[in-house]
Amino acid sequence: MSKNPDVLVIGGGIVGSAIAWRLAKDGRSVTLLEKGEIGREASWAAGGMLTPVHLADYPPALADLCGASLALYEPLCREILAASGVDPEYRTTGLLMIVTDDGGEEAARELEVWKRERHQPVERLTRDEAVAVEPEITPELRRALWLPDIAQIRNNRMAVALAEGAKQRGAEIWANTPVTGFLRVPGRVNGVKTPRGDIYAGTTILAAGAWSGDLLRPLGLDLKVKPIKGQILLAGGPPDFCRHMILDGETYLIPRADGRVLVGSTLEDVGFDKSVILETVGDLALRATRLMPALGKLPMVTSWAGLRPATPDRLPYLGKGPVDGLIVATGHYRNGILLAPITAELVADLLAGQPPSVDLAPFNPLRVPERIESAG
């Protein structure tokens, strides 16, 4: 292991791996440390939908950040496939937001207005038109909103692909290497402590998701990043059984290219508990079969849970830390998959001393959020 890289990245999820890839491309010497296996925490447990679940409810700064990151995604997936040999399976399958009750009507109206104000594609579908798009959709359907431009990836592959791509560009990737503390000189972080020994670095980047708060507290910064558990199940189906992503409230279906259908998800404030609960899996199955009754006849492949890193105001922490030599890139909550490319670009800007392409003021790690919101 290099004991003195230019940059040290803490966290081997999709955000940390994207940062390592981007900086290694710049020719910097990079070491990435992950306490477990690469991409096996929140990045593994996500759905891979490349849009916020309820985009119209998001703060403008966050919605704009999501849009900037989405524009980077398709070329990044092509590039990382060539560099790593791992296909993240970027697919523009579109999203069908269905309306089955009055709450769905209001959400659909708000989203349609939001999309049209930004000149983004959106189309109203009648019940019959929606059934033509998705023949197995629920008979409770009133109407639907069609968003043809929404894409998805296989998120569990993307984090691995980014880490492997970084490795091919010279980065050192160290799994099963937890950080136990920071190395400091007066007014500056200059590396970290690990069970494998101390590592010194010109700049340390914290991208440890829900575990970031505990690591930063000794430096005098309480980010209040908290884990919000999400449980998901996966059903096995024939290709084209479900053709597009489907959203109804907090329930979504994401079809994979091999015919499997991912069903999500839950929002649970239960600490660092990643257990899969039988009752919850049953509830997800009921929610899924309400949206698409024929799903109830498909075999269940597996289920899992992950911990999203939530912040009090739902905005990620992106920017310089409380002491020199530290950059914070964490707290992406439900948007870590989507925001990984733009986060990597912004970190590269900060390291190069260039004005960032996005105003980072709303995401300043030193801000003081006011409240916890679990929705959105």
Side-chain angles (χ1 to χ4, degrees), residues 178-190:
V179 169
T180 58
F182 290 101
L183 299 173
R184 301 179 64 181
V185 295
R188 183 177 183 84
V189 165
N190 63 344

Side-chain angles (χ1 to χ4, degrees), residues 191-267:
V192 299
K193 303 174 184 179
T194 82
R196 299 189 181 195
D198 295 347
I199 307 173
Y200 294 87
T203 302
T204 300
I205 299 167
L206 181 63
W211 290 265
S212 298
D214 289 342
L215 288 170
L216 268 183
R217 205 161 288 119
L219 297 182
L221 181 62
D222 186 0
L223 288 185
K224 300 187 185 301
V225 180
K226 65 186 299 185
I228 298 294
K229 178 179 172 181
Q231 297 186 58
I232 290 177
L233 67 83
L234 187 67
D240 290 332
F241 171 83
C242 179
R243 303 172 184 176
H244 312 90
M245 291 177 281
I246 298 172
L247 174 66
D248 182 22
E250 291 297 335
T251 306
Y252 54 80
L253 308 178
I254 303 179
R256 301 307 197 195
D258 58 10
R260 295 179 175 185
V261 181
L262 184 148
V263 180
S265 71
T266 65
L267 293 168

Side-chain angles (χ1 to χ4, degrees), residues 73-229:
Y73 235 106
E74 187 174 12
L76 173 61
C77 286
R78 290 197 301 267
E79 187 178 27
I80 205 64
L81 170 60
S84 70
V86 179
D87 185 4
E89 206 172 276
Y90 179 97
R91 299 166 64 224
T92 304
T93 53
L95 184 145
L96 198 66
M97 182 179 185
I98 69 170
V99 176
T100 59
D101 56 26
D102 291 345
E105 288 280 4
E106 182 178 357
R109 284 195 297 270
E110 290 178 354
L111 181 57
E112 182 180 1
V113 169
W114 194 95
K115 296 284 280 187
R116 292 192 187 282
E117 285 177 348
R118 288 156 180 79
H119 307 289
Q120 297 177 10
V122 60
E123 182 181 352
R124 299 178 190 176
L125 299 184
T126 65
R127 182 186 184 283
D128 289 345
E129 289 170 336
V131 170
V133 170
E134 280 291 349
E136 300 292 346
I137 202 70
T138 174
E140 298 176 13
L141 182 70
R142 294 183 183 180
R143 68 179 185 92
L145 207 61
W146 171 234
L147 284 63
D149 59 328
I150 304 301
Q152 61 164 288
I153 59 163
R154 292 292 281 268
N155 43 283
N156 58 328
R157 297 181 185 177
M158 189 65 179
V160 173
L162 287 163
E164 180 60 29
K167 184 178 179 180
Q168 295 300 320
R169 290 295 183 101
E172 294 192 20
I173 309 296
W174 289 90
N176 301 305
T177 307
V179 169
T180 58
F182 290 101
L183 299 173
R184 301 179 64 181
V185 295
R188 183 177 183 84
V189 165
N190 63 344
V192 299
K193 303 174 184 179
T194 82
R196 299 189 181 195
D198 295 347
I199 307 173
Y200 294 87
T203 302
T204 300
I205 299 167
L206 181 63
W211 290 265
S212 298
D214 289 342
L215 288 170
L216 268 183
R217 205 161 288 119
L219 297 182
L221 181 62
D222 186 0
L223 288 185
K224 300 187 185 301
V225 180
K226 65 186 299 185
I228 298 294
K229 178 179 172 181

Side-chain angles (χ1 to χ4, degrees), residues 243-294:
R243 303 172 184 176
H244 312 90
M245 291 177 281
I246 298 172
L247 174 66
D248 182 22
E250 291 297 335
T251 306
Y252 54 80
L253 308 178
I254 303 179
R256 301 307 197 195
D258 58 10
R260 295 179 175 185
V261 181
L262 184 148
V263 180
S265 71
T266 65
L267 293 168
E268 304 172 59
D269 189 355
V270 293
F272 287 90
D273 171 18
K274 292 196 299 179
S275 58
V276 176
I277 306 301
L278 185 60
E279 182 179 40
T280 304
V281 172
D283 178 64
L284 284 171
L286 287 174
R287 286 158 56 182
T289 55
R290 187 176 70 81
L291 296 187
M292 190 170 276

